[in-house]
Amino acid sequence: MLLTVSTAPRAGAQESPGRPELPRQFIAVHKRRRIMDAIAKLSAERGYEATTIADIVRSAGVARKTLYDNFEGKEDVFLAAFDEAVAELFGQVEAACAAVEGSWPERVEAALEAFLRYFAERPAAAKMCMIEALAATPASSRHYEETVERFAALVREAGPDESGIPDTTAEILVGGVSWIVYQQIRRGETERCLDLLPELTEFVCAPYGR
């Protein structure tokens, strides 16, 4: 005689609630973010040129179709990841600078600390933004140059009104800071970027006589 076990709930028993479905938009945004995180990680590890679409989708844990639903290709993923990182970085630097009501050197120090801390805590993003972006593609190089100009504009706007120094000084200062940080990252010492804070603060403030 065969016994069958019913899977129907007993009378009066409550069915356990299933896992709530995540909104499709949330899932789509999360997958897009995973793809961008993947190219940052992979380009930091092996370089942009050696990173393939297959590597990206494997690292992100998504289908190739998902990547092409969101991006035109590898370069588009890289540029999106770069722009996303820069937007986050710039927001943190602006917020740090605005939060200080003290002297110009104090604002410079706060902004530089936010800049250096961002990279120290995100070594993959640091290498992507400060090293790979320079030579990955002509478009990434342009995005890098536009970012340098954006930071130079912030220095000009936040600097002392009565300084009387040429506008090009801001580009020189931002370029110098970028080069020093670039060297730190190339040496594999990204996590120690904050050690540069006193030196870079003095470097940026010196032309203003502060």
Side-chain angles (χ1 to χ4, degrees), residues 73-155:
K74 185 174 78 167
E75 181 183 49
D76 194 31
V77 177
F78 186 88
L79 295 176
F82 176 87
D83 291 343
E84 182 84 7
V86 167
E88 188 176 4
L89 169 62
F90 198 81
Q92 292 187 17
V93 169
E94 276 193 316
C97 189
V100 176
E101 298 180 357
S103 63
W104 162 246
E106 290 173 329
R107 296 200 303 276
V108 168
E109 184 176 27
L112 283 171
E113 182 177 4
F115 179 84
L116 296 171
R117 186 179 300 281
Y118 181 87
F119 286 140
E121 294 175 351
R122 301 166 181 80
K127 194 167 183 181
M128 175 184 68
C129 292
M130 299 299 294
I131 295 179
E132 289 301 313
L134 284 166
T137 70
S140 71
S141 180
R142 287 195 300 273
H143 281 229
Y144 179 89
E145 291 168 1
E146 289 165 2
T147 299
V148 169
E149 175 52 39
R150 188 177 176 189
F151 275 104
L154 180 61
V155 172

